[in-house]
Amino acid sequence: MYPENEIFREGLDELAEHYKEILTLLGEDPSREGLLKTPMRVAKAMQVLTRGYEMDAHQVLRDALFKEDYSQMVIVKDIDFFSLCEHHMLPFYGKVHVAYIPNGYITGLSKIARVVDIYSHRLQVQERMTLQIKECIEQTLHPLGVMVVVEARHMCMQMRGVEKQNSITTTSDFSGAFNQAKTRQEFMNLIHNNSKL
């Protein structure tokens, strides 16, 4: 049995068995003391890291939709995220910055961060995650415009392959009012303003 406050998806025990086999294939002895609980720990960790498959990001926004006449830029910046690269299943992590211009409706600010969590807790590529966040906000709120910028470090570039420790990958996607260079520049200036609250 697992603790009542931890809810894991179907297939957890089978997943743990596969990790036990992986340990053997790597040349380890899964029966040694330090590794006895490792297959289940990894299985649980992987279910947590991919819990976004079980969540509906559009519904999260719809649950906190409010009619409001505000029509200036709303920005939620420096949203921390962690995800797994689908090519090597190694982490990539960083910050997401989101802006939208309401068109009669706003959503709870924490819901924007929740949308980021949902899409980042899947096997991902940064480019697709950027697009998914933008499209979710666009399709649910129908704003005058949306822009998403993601800045991330990729462990698959740092730990293996080219082994470049200080590289940062930046992706962006935008629509509506953000097709205007002036509006995009305003957003970029605001997210790179390092003022502390």
Side-chain angles (χ1 to χ4, degrees):
M1 292 297 291
Y2 309 118
E4 289 181 347
N5 61 343
E6 290 187 89
I7 300 172
F8 295 99
R9 305 196 298 275
E10 188 177 339
L12 183 66
D13 292 320
E14 186 178 357
L15 193 57
E17 283 300 314
H18 285 294
Y19 279 115
K20 186 175 179 181
E21 181 64 22
I22 287 170
L23 287 172
T24 302
L25 291 170
L26 291 174
E28 266 293 357
D29 175 9
S31 66
R32 73 175 173 87
E33 184 181 13
L35 293 176
L36 278 175
K37 297 182 179 179
T38 296
M40 183 55 73
R41 287 190 190 110
V42 177
K44 288 179 178 181
M46 289 304 293
Q47 284 207 352
V48 169
L49 293 171
T50 59
R51 66 179 181 254
Y53 289 119
E54 302 291 303
M55 301 176 185
D56 182 347
H58 294 82
Q59 190 59 48
V60 164
L61 292 181
R62 283 193 294 268
D63 285 346
L65 204 57
F66 309 103
K67 190 164 180 56
E68 193 62 55
D69 289 333
Y70 186 81
S71 59
Q72 299 301 313
M73 198 181 299
V74 176
I75 298 174
V76 183
K77 70 175 191 173
D78 295 330
I79 303 168
D80 292 315
F81 81 92
F82 298 88
S83 191
L84 290 176
C85 163
E86 68 180 32
H87 299 144
H88 302 98
M89 291 180 68
L90 288 172
F92 68 98
Y93 60 94
K95 295 188 182 297
V96 177
H97 315 287
V98 177
Y100 74 98
I101 300 174
N103 186 21
Y105 289 91
I106 61 170
T107 189
L109 297 176
S110 68
K111 305 307 180 186
I112 301 291
R114 181 81 61 178
V115 167
V116 171
D117 279 348
I118 289 170
Y119 288 117
S120 64
H121 281 80
R122 300 177 181 185
L123 299 183
Q124 276 290 13
V125 294
Q126 183 175 332
E127 297 87 343
R128 183 195 310 125
M129 188 179 83
T130 305
L131 175 65
Q132 287 174 329
I133 295 166
K134 185 214 64 168
E135 286 185 340
C136 177
I137 295 167
E138 189 175 46
Q139 293 166 5
T140 309
L141 299 182
H142 306 290
L144 297 175
V146 184
M147 185 164 177
V148 176
V149 173
V150 179
E151 300 170 308
R153 294 183 184 273
H154 291 250
M155 297 306 286
C156 58
M157 286 183 65
Q158 294 179 273
M159 295 175 66
R160 55 160 302 284
V162 294
E163 296 186 14
K164 300 302 178 193
Q165 305 307 311
N166 298 307
S167 63
I168 296 174
T169 301
T170 302
T171 51
S172 68
D173 203 350
F174 51 86
S175 66
F178 290 95
N179 284 308
Q180 299 176 25
K182 182 179 177 183
T183 309
R184 287 199 308 278
Q185 191 57 53
E186 179 185 351
F187 174 50
M188 296 304 288
N189 290 342
L190 287 167
I191 67 173
H192 290 117
N193 177 354
N194 292 322
S195 65
K196 300 294 182 186
L197 294 177

